[in-house]
Amino acid sequence: MTRLTAKQEAFAQLVAKGKNQVDAYIDAYYPKGRRYNESTVNSGASKLANNEKIKARIKEIKKDKASQKPLTLKEEAFLKYFQSF
């Protein structure tokens, strides 16, 4: 695995989970409530998404996720129960 900054890793994780690049960039790079310039965000998201290290990490995350066995109904119910606290 290549070394990424914490923000790059967060971006890769969010994209791998299905967020679009712009939303992932905002969530990873801007604290809640902080204002941002739309063109700066679009440019930054595009640059990150085209970075070879980021692409490799997203692919790796998706591969790891695909190899995990799905939860049983009991396991899902257990998780939902404890997430409700």
Side-chain angles (χ1 to χ4, degrees), residues 2-60:
T2 58
R3 291 291 254 186
L4 301 176
T5 67
K7 290 178 180 182
Q8 289 172 327
E9 178 66 25
F11 176 83
Q13 292 282 341
L14 291 167
V15 171
K17 288 180 182 177
K19 268 205 171 187
N20 69 48
Q21 296 169 4
V22 172
D23 289 342
Y25 187 85
I26 292 168
D27 288 352
Y29 281 80
Y30 291 91
K32 296 289 183 221
R34 183 173 162 206
R35 296 169 64 124
Y36 53 86
N37 181 303
E38 192 174 326
S39 65
T40 302
V41 168
N42 289 337
S43 174
S46 178
K47 284 179 186 176
L48 273 184
N50 289 309
N51 180 308
E52 291 302 320
K53 288 189 218 177
I54 303 290
K55 285 181 182 179
R57 180 65 180 134
I58 292 169
K59 187 175 180 180
E60 181 180 344

